[in-house]
Amino acid sequence: MVENNEVELSEAEAEQYDRQIRLWGLESQKRLRASKVLIIGMSGLGAEIAKNIILSGVKSVCLLDSEKLKETDLYSQFLAPPDKIGENRAETSLQRARALNPMVDVTAETKAVDDLPDSYFATFDIICATGLKQEQLERVNNICRDNNKKFLCGDVWGTFGYMFADLIDHEYSEEIVQHKAVKRGPDDNEANARETVSITVKRRAIYVPLQNALSVDWTKPELRSRLRRGDPSYFVMKILSRFRDEYNRNPDPAQRKTETEILLRMRDELVKELSLPAGFIKDALLTDVFGIVSGAAAVVGGVIAQEVVKAVSQREPPHNNMFFFNPLKGVGFAELYGQ
């Protein structure tokens, strides 16, 4: 939980965040103003997350990325100038990121995740990780849990994307609208009119680590029933994560035909491993997963940043622990896995 006991907003900050203060209250904005956020991976998705979080008015944002800016990044990475190809993605994003909100301290870290000690990650209040292998994600998630820090991760491949959240033991407040019966006059014996009133209630949500969400037992009847809903997004995520784990990169647009065949082979292997229905994961879901489409990055990045703001401000119900954007259906939806 982010403490805000010593945070006071200046007049300039109160004016800058006036709309947000009226939306979710001064105490929530003070929690945001006290929070330190780490964003791992400055692809197009990382840029979207950074933009939204910086604009929300947190204390600081660190952009962590050891990769160099590539020409393909420019299709969705709007924080890095085109003339910076070949330079570090985090450092090239700094100037535009800082310009979004000068009241937020924005820094860059160019070391790789594997080269940083556990103690480094424990200095942040909340971490958003993108572009990592499953082993790396689980390591950072476990560090967060050991230090009671909140963790989110996600990725976008082409037009497909997902988010996972582990807020550990999360307390938040929610406004509930109730309808109350009232009498029209003092002589009325029965209530014959209704008015609405808003009350604030405290709630609590318990989360599981990423490892649990990725290792659910699909032989259980309650999980098998989900297959009848017909959305395979969870399994598409597992296939694409498996590709990254095996090849240490995302599918290459320059090798679309060959790598689509690899993805379809991995799909067939997963279907067999989990005894999924034949044809459940359509070929079309694995043929447009190259690069990062800016529209999909905007959707998934907006959801991740929104969940960060809600988690830190402790206002409004968080999503279930996973969110998916299915490009074939053109919809995003939240699901609960591992509990």
Side-chain angles (χ1 to χ4, degrees):
M1 181 182 298
V2 178
E3 297 296 336
N4 66 328
N5 296 336
E6 300 180 359
V7 174
E8 293 295 337
L9 299 185
S10 66
E11 289 186 12
E13 289 172 330
E15 182 178 354
Q16 171 86 356
Y17 306 125
D18 175 68
R19 180 180 177 275
Q20 295 175 184
I21 292 171
R22 286 186 281 113
L23 180 64
W24 54 55
L26 179 60
E27 289 305 308
S28 292
Q29 187 63 45
K30 288 169 68 175
R31 290 190 188 99
L32 277 170
R33 198 70 187 98
S35 63
K36 296 181 289 185
V37 182
L38 174 65
I39 301 173
I40 302 173
M42 286 310 296
S43 64
L45 176 60
E48 287 285 353
I49 297 170
K51 175 198 70 177
N52 291 312
I53 291 177
I54 292 169
L55 290 174
S56 74
V58 296
K59 178 180 181 179
S60 65
V61 172
C62 180
L63 313 177
L64 189 159
D65 199 326
S66 61
E67 298 292 325
K68 304 297 184 184
L69 183 70
K70 303 184 294 294
E71 184 176 357
T72 52
D73 289 322
L74 301 179
Y75 294 107
S76 58
Q77 218 289 24
F78 53 83
L79 291 178
D83 61 352
K84 299 296 184 180
I85 291 175
E87 299 182 27
N88 179 269
R89 284 198 303 193
E91 289 184 328
T92 60
S93 301
L94 270 181
Q95 183 176 357
R96 292 181 176 178
R98 286 170 172 166
L100 290 169
N101 189 347
M103 296 181 182
V104 176
D105 180 24
V106 184
T107 58
E109 172 57 67
T110 61
K111 290 182 180 178
V113 166
D114 293 340
D115 295 334
L116 291 164
D118 293 3
S119 57
Y120 172 82
F121 300 98
T123 62
F124 298 93
D125 298 303
I126 189 163
I127 295 177
C128 303
T130 71
L132 298 183
K133 297 163 68 172
Q134 182 175 335
E135 181 181 7
Q136 295 171 314
L137 291 172
E138 291 181 0
R139 177 204 167 201
V140 177
N141 186 190
N142 290 334
I143 294 170
C144 288
R145 292 188 71 86
D146 291 342
N147 292 276
N148 197 30
K149 309 293 186 178
K150 300 184 187 303
F151 171 83
L152 296 93
C153 66
D155 263 299
V156 170
W157 294 272
T159 54
F160 171 84
Y162 88 97
M163 177 207 75
F164 166 82
D166 178 10
L167 307 184
I168 313 177
D169 187 345
H170 180 55
E171 296 180 351
Y172 62 95
S173 59
E174 179 182 9
E175 275 199 5
I176 303 294
V177 176
Q178 294 185 337
H179 298 279
K180 180 181 178 181
V182 297
K183 296 180 180 180
R184 287 183 176 175
D187 298 328
D188 291 340
N189 294 323
E190 296 181 2
N192 49 20
R194 303 181 72 83
E195 65 178 17
T196 59
V197 294
S198 295
I199 61 171
T200 300
V201 296
K202 299 289 186 180
R203 299 195 187 280
R204 181 185 181 193
I206 306 297
Y207 283 74
V208 299
L210 178 65
Q211 183 177 4
N212 290 33
L214 296 181
S215 58
V216 295
D217 182 2
W218 284 94
T219 63
K220 293 183 177 180
E222 61 270 24
L223 288 174
R224 299 299 294 184
S225 65
R226 289 194 184 187
L227 301 180
R228 291 193 287 272
R229 301 179 191 174
D231 194 288
S233 294
Y234 174 89
F235 305 101
V236 174
M237 172 204 66
K238 289 182 73 71
I239 294 166
L240 291 163
S241 297
R242 182 175 294 188
F243 184 99
R244 178 182 291 156
D245 289 348
E246 187 169 329
Y247 294 93
N248 199 31
R249 59 175 175 81
N250 290 335
D252 186 355
Q255 306 178 59
R256 184 181 295 264
K257 181 178 180 181
T258 301
E259 306 220 325
T260 298
E261 292 174 356
I262 295 173
L263 290 167
L264 294 176
R265 173 179 57 79
M266 289 182 169
R267 185 270 313 270
D268 294 341
E269 292 171 353
L270 186 69
V271 166
K272 185 176 180 180
E273 289 171 17
L274 302 179
S275 300
L276 301 176
F280 184 61
I281 307 172
K282 300 183 184 301
D283 291 3
L285 275 170
L286 295 169
T287 56
D288 194 15
V289 292
F290 297 87
I292 295 178
V293 175
S294 58
V299 171
V300 179
V303 170
I304 292 176
Q306 171 188 273
E307 291 306 293
V308 169
V309 170
K310 289 195 295 184
V312 173
S313 65
Q314 298 173 359
R315 289 284 295 181
E316 303 305 322
H319 280 323
N320 291 330
N321 65 347
M322 301 203 78
F323 169 87
F324 298 98
F325 180 70
N326 183 319
L328 296 186
K329 296 181 178 180
V331 298
F333 61 95
E335 289 276 9
L336 183 63
Y337 287 98
Q339 292 178 314

